[in-house]
Structure formats: structure tokens, C-alpha cells
Amino acid sequence: MTIQEMRSVFEKLNTCQEWSLQLLKFGKVRNEFSYNTHNVTITTQNALTEFMESLADIYIGQNGKMDSFQEVVDYDGSTIGSRIHRIELTNPLVSESYGKLATAMDSPDMAGNALEFSASAYVLKGSIEEDDGAVSDIRLFTIVNPFKTLKHTFSWDGDSFKVIPTKTLALRQHFDVMIWGDAVYMFSLSGEKLFDMERAYRQVCANKVEEIVCTGILSDDETFRQYASSGYNPRRFVAFDSNRLQKIKNDIVFRNKMAEKFGIIQGDNETYDSSDKDNVERIVKFLCKKGMLDPVDENPVEVEGSKQWR
């Protein structure tokens, strides 16, 4: 997926003439992450269609929001704001949560009225026509409660202005997450909240930490577990590189070279010293592709995210 291809998705939003709106509530309930939805009926004709046309223009019109994005990349845990992060629906980081979300969208809870529903987000649902004529579903999520209480705001009733006594439904001129085809596209880090991804990448971190410990390259396994699983490190493990681990496990010369290059202190028997927090950080950054060598002088540099050179 390229930025231009993503722009073409926005261009196709006007091929859908039947948009629907759902309120969405998500979060932990009795230690389990769950979703609930509530359908919203808007009786003003073409209101949602006109809103979507406006939203598309906000993104791909002159000086649109898409101008702030430079590329679409596979999700790697980085927080670079100029990137749209793509993650397949089958990826373990989102697959379980997506299954629950899809079920909730298909089976809305219609008890009570919309104003009584404690929404934490809303989703616009439609279908767009592809270049080959096929039709595919698209879902746009905005992670915000759409209801507002307008203070000191008055409406005209045909005779005079009066205070608006009830909450209003206000759709925002942005969205955070797109589900289209077989993937999730995150336009902001709010997408991580939608899919409870912190839980998922902490599990990835735990698994990878044990994989590292089992290689025998560390001086202190327990301390490594403690430091490698804390702070910003769990997010880093999304980009864990098993090839790097195997290389430093099986090639002692390479292990020693990387220790020298990246300032990783070594213990006895050419192990990596994992009793020191800063040293554990260097080990994690190297294994998670956050540490690279400058191609000019081969000095180590820290990077937020990396991808294959083209």
C-alpha cells in the first residue's frame, strides 16, 4: 500500500450512498476487553453521505490531512506521526480483539436510547466500489465520545433563540482507524487503544524475552527479564528480529563485534552483561532494530523505525 493508493481509497468514498453510523463502547469489563455498539438513526436525508464527501475533501483536498503522511508501513510499534501503520487482521496483535469488535458491530445492543449509551468512539460503515467493479466494506473509527453538551449555545425556533437543552451528536472532521480489505490502517496511536494492543505487545515481549534468555548469551537472566519488560521496551519488541538473535547466539565473533559497536558491556564467557539497566536497553534496541550503524562512519545510531532500503 502506498500513499497514492490510500488517496485513491478516499476518492472512492463518494461511490457509497448508504453510510450507517454506530456508537461504540470498548474497554475492560471484569478483566476482559469487550465491545458494545448501538445503531444511530439520522433522519435528515443524505446527511451522512454529505458528511463523508466533506471528510474525503478534508483528507485529500488542497492542503488536506493526507499531506502530513509520508508513507504507509507495516506496524512496528514506532510512534512516527508521519506514518500510517498497516496491520493485517490476522496478525496476533489485533486478531482476537478484531473478532470481538466484528461480532459487536454485527450484533448491536439496542437497549435504551443513544444518549444513554456511554460511547467511547463511533464508527461510520459503508461499502466502496473498487477499480474492477467489486464492492468492499470500509469502516472508519473516530476514538472520541461524539456527544457534546453545548454551553451558552442557542438555537432558533422560528420566533426566538433558546438554549439547547439536550446533548448533540457531533461528528468530527477526522478519524483514527480505517478497516478496509484485510487490514487495519492506523492514522493515529488511538488505534492501539481500540484493539487493546498494549496487552498484545506485552505478551509478544514476554515471549521474545524468554526466547532471548534461552540462548544462554546473558549474564543475568532474571534481571534481564525485569528490565527488558519495563518502560518503553514492550513496544519495541513488536519489531524484534529473530535473525539478529540467532546471529549473536551462533557467531561469537559477530557477537563480540556488535558488543563493541553498540557499547554493550560483556560479562564472563563472552556473554552480554544483563545486570545493568542501560546495558539491557542497548541489547533490546539492537535486537528490535532500534539500533543501526551509520553507513558512513559505522557509528551506532538509534532509530525510531526501519524498513527495507529501496
Side-chain angles (χ1 to χ4, degrees):
M1 169 68 74
T2 65
I3 285 292
Q4 189 54 46
E5 288 171 333
M6 179 55 71
R7 283 180 173 274
S8 72
V9 175
F10 285 96
E11 292 170 355
K12 295 168 184 172
L13 292 181
N14 62 8
T15 64
C16 178
Q17 299 301 313
E18 294 185 9
W19 290 95
S20 62
L21 175 65
Q22 280 187 328
L23 303 177
L24 173 63
K25 177 170 60 177
F26 61 87
K28 284 188 177 180
V29 178
R30 302 185 188 91
N31 294 321
E32 182 178 351
F33 205 79
S34 64
Y35 301 87
N36 285 291
T37 61
H38 187 98
N39 290 346
V40 173
T41 301
I42 296 179
T43 56
T44 303
Q45 190 173 9
N46 299 324
L48 287 181
T49 300
E50 292 173 3
F51 173 77
M52 293 307 300
E53 291 174 354
S54 173
L55 187 66
D57 186 62
I58 288 169
Y59 274 83
I60 61 173
Q62 187 174 6
N63 299 320
K65 291 182 181 291
M66 281 298 294
D67 292 347
S68 64
F69 294 105
Q70 297 180 355
E71 55 187 345
V72 181
V73 301
D74 290 334
Y75 178 78
D76 61 359
S78 63
T79 57
I80 301 174
S82 61
R83 289 178 170 180
I84 298 170
H85 286 99
R86 179 185 185 278
I87 184 166
E88 293 187 359
L89 294 173
T90 55
N91 189 305
L93 288 172
V94 298
S95 58
E96 180 180 345
S97 294
Y98 171 70
K100 295 178 181 179
L101 173 60
T103 298
M105 288 191 292
D106 290 340
S107 305
D109 175 9
M110 297 307 293
N113 64 52
L115 288 176
E116 296 172 344
F117 189 86
S118 301
S120 46
Y122 65 87
V123 53
L124 287 153
K125 302 164 62 178
S127 300
I128 60 176
E129 185 175 332
E130 305 291 348
D131 293 335
D132 60 2
V135 176
S136 60
D137 293 337
I138 188 167
R139 308 286 185 257
L140 302 178
F141 298 82
T142 303
I143 315 301
V144 66
N145 186 334
F147 292 115
K148 283 186 174 182
T149 299
L150 301 178
K151 296 182 178 180
H152 313 301
T153 305
F154 310 90
S155 64
W156 177 254
D157 68 354
D159 180 54
S160 62
F161 288 96
K162 294 183 178 180
V163 170
I164 300 175
T166 60
K167 293 181 179 180
T168 60
L169 177 66
L171 302 183
R172 307 306 200 266
Q173 294 185 326
H174 77 276
F175 67 92
D176 300 293
V177 177
M178 173 191 292
I179 296 181
W180 175 63
D182 60 357
V184 174
Y185 297 88
M186 293 192 292
F187 287 68
S188 78
L189 289 179
S190 293
E192 295 184 346
K193 299 178 184 177
L194 178 63
F195 293 102
D196 191 26
M197 290 181 68
E198 181 178 355
R199 172 201 58 80
Y201 61 63
R202 283 191 179 279
Q203 185 58 56
V204 170
C205 169
N207 294 339
K208 298 306 180 183
V209 165
E210 290 308 310
E211 186 176 337
I212 296 168
V213 166
C214 288
T215 62
I217 65 170
L218 304 172
S219 66
D220 187 329
D221 293 343
E222 284 305 316
T223 305
F224 181 80
R225 287 188 179 98
Q226 176 187 346
Y227 290 145
S229 302
S230 63
Y232 198 76
N233 283 331
R235 176 185 291 276
R236 292 188 174 113
F237 275 96
V238 173
F240 179 78
D241 189 339
S242 294
N243 291 330
R244 289 192 178 196
L245 177 62
Q246 292 306 310
K247 184 71 172 175
I248 61 174
K249 171 189 174 184
N250 299 322
D251 189 334
I252 295 179
V253 173
F254 179 78
R255 184 193 309 169
N256 295 341
K257 180 180 178 181
M258 291 301 100
E260 180 181 355
K261 288 291 184 183
F262 287 95
I264 299 172
I265 301 170
Q266 291 185 277
D268 297 333
N269 301 319
E270 297 175 303
T271 58
Y272 283 174
D273 180 8
S274 53
S275 64
D276 176 76
K277 182 177 181 180
D278 291 338
N279 212 45
V280 170
E281 288 268 318
R282 297 186 192 101
I283 297 169
V284 171
K285 288 176 183 177
F286 170 72
L287 291 174
C288 298
K289 297 192 289 189
K290 306 303 181 185
M292 300 289 180
L293 294 178
D294 188 295
V296 176
D297 54 22
E298 293 195 345
N299 286 328
V301 293
E302 183 173 346
V303 296
E304 176 65 19
S306 64
K307 64 177 184 176
Q308 193 69 31
W309 182 268
R310 295 177 180 175

